[in-house]
Amino acid sequence: MRYGDNFDGKTTSLCVRCAVYYDPDTAKEDPSKQGVCSNFLCNSKPGDKIKITGPSGKIMLLPEDDPNATHIMIATGTGVAPFRGYLRRMFMESVPKFKFGGLAWLFLGVANTDSLLYDDEFTKYHKDYPDNFRYEKALNREQKNRSGSKMYVQDKTEEYRDEIFKLLDNGAHIYFCGLKGMMPGIQDTLKKVAEQRGENWEDKLSQLKKNKQWHVEVY
């Protein structure tokens, strides 16, 4: 976020989940194996100096040439972080050169309600800007999809498949951020929907990338 949570331009907000390792034989956590970056940050104390660098890359930048564009954002877990920055810029920050008048549609997939990040912020945006912001949650331990299985973010996007494809046809940007394991399921879902519509998904994906509508940052 350009100005930070305090709007002073001197703060950085991080969305971090500690990476832990569970021994497959004992099913117990092995404290000797930890995520290098996440545990370093989680174990740091107030006052510690931390070096950071960035930003890098241009994949997940919010295009500002069209303030009335549609942005479909699909996230799992901490992958919601860049989208929080987008939404603050759209609905909270006062930016003379960027007055958002389009549609932002967030799909967030997590395990359960307790795992939702920034839910209060997003719920408030939905209440204050109902014509410009939509918010869908996929809670895989609490919700069921149409077939009665766990609800994942790709299942939630499939519910709105026709609308999503129509928006993409009209130039909407679509973003993906989170665990890389989310992409095969989402790609399979989009391919199935495309085929149901009589379209070739590989050709459509190629065109979306060519038009710079397709943005992926997974890890």
Side-chain angles (χ1 to χ4, degrees):
M1 296 179 292
R2 184 171 300 183
Y3 304 110
D5 278 349
N6 298 329
F7 294 99
D8 60 3
K10 299 178 181 179
T11 58
T12 296
S13 299
L14 302 178
C15 183
V16 181
R17 180 179 180 181
C18 279
V20 296
Y21 173 81
Y22 288 91
D23 188 284
D25 295 326
T26 65
K28 294 182 178 180
E29 181 181 340
D30 184 348
S32 67
K33 299 178 180 179
Q34 298 183 338
V36 176
C37 180
S38 64
N39 281 272
F40 169 75
L41 292 171
C42 291
N43 294 335
S44 63
K45 300 176 178 61
D48 288 352
K49 291 185 177 181
I50 298 174
K51 292 183 179 181
I52 60 175
T53 185
S56 61
K58 299 180 180 180
I59 295 174
M60 296 298 287
L61 293 181
L62 179 66
E64 299 184 3
D65 55 341
D66 182 5
N68 298 316
T70 295
H71 306 274
I72 303 168
M73 300 164 281
I74 302 175
T76 59
T78 55
V80 76
F83 304 140
R84 183 194 181 215
Y86 294 176
L87 295 171
R88 283 176 69 91
R89 185 162 183 79
M90 293 170 178
F91 302 121
M92 186 181 291
E93 297 176 358
S94 178
V95 185
K97 295 182 179 180
F98 183 74
K99 180 65 175 177
F100 184 66
L103 172 65
W105 193 355
L106 174 64
F107 291 84
L108 177 56
V110 295
N112 49 46
T113 303
D114 291 342
S115 301
L116 288 169
L117 299 168
Y118 313 115
D119 186 55
D120 290 344
E121 281 187 30
F122 302 151
T123 300
K124 188 176 188 305
Y125 295 150
H126 185 258
K127 177 182 178 182
D128 295 344
Y129 304 94
D131 295 331
N132 302 98
F133 181 56
R134 297 172 65 175
Y135 181 30
E136 297 292 337
K137 293 170 274 193
L139 311 175
N140 64 66
R141 293 182 185 171
E142 297 180 10
Q143 299 173 323
K144 301 292 184 182
N145 60 22
R146 293 182 180 182
S147 64
S149 301
K150 291 182 178 181
M151 172 72 78
Y152 291 100
V153 71
Q154 61 263 31
D155 301 311
K156 184 61 69 171
T157 56
E158 186 176 13
E159 290 183 15
Y160 298 92
R161 56 190 180 277
D162 291 330
E163 190 172 359
I164 288 174
F165 269 68
K166 182 177 180 181
L167 291 171
L168 291 174
D169 289 341
N170 289 329
H173 291 266
I174 189 165
Y175 308 82
F176 305 89
C177 191
L179 295 174
K180 61 183 179 182
M182 70 186 282
M183 291 309 297
I186 289 176
Q187 290 266 34
D188 288 345
T189 296
L190 295 176
K191 181 178 181 179
K192 180 172 67 175
V193 174
E195 291 174 348
Q196 291 172 349
R197 293 165 56 90
E199 300 180 65
N200 181 287
W201 171 242
E202 283 71 24
D203 291 343
K204 191 172 190 68
L205 177 58
S206 177
Q207 190 61 46
L208 290 172
K209 290 179 178 179
K210 182 178 180 181
N211 295 342
K212 297 182 179 180
Q213 295 173 249
W214 184 265
H215 312 263
V216 179
E217 187 69 63
V218 293
Y219 39 84

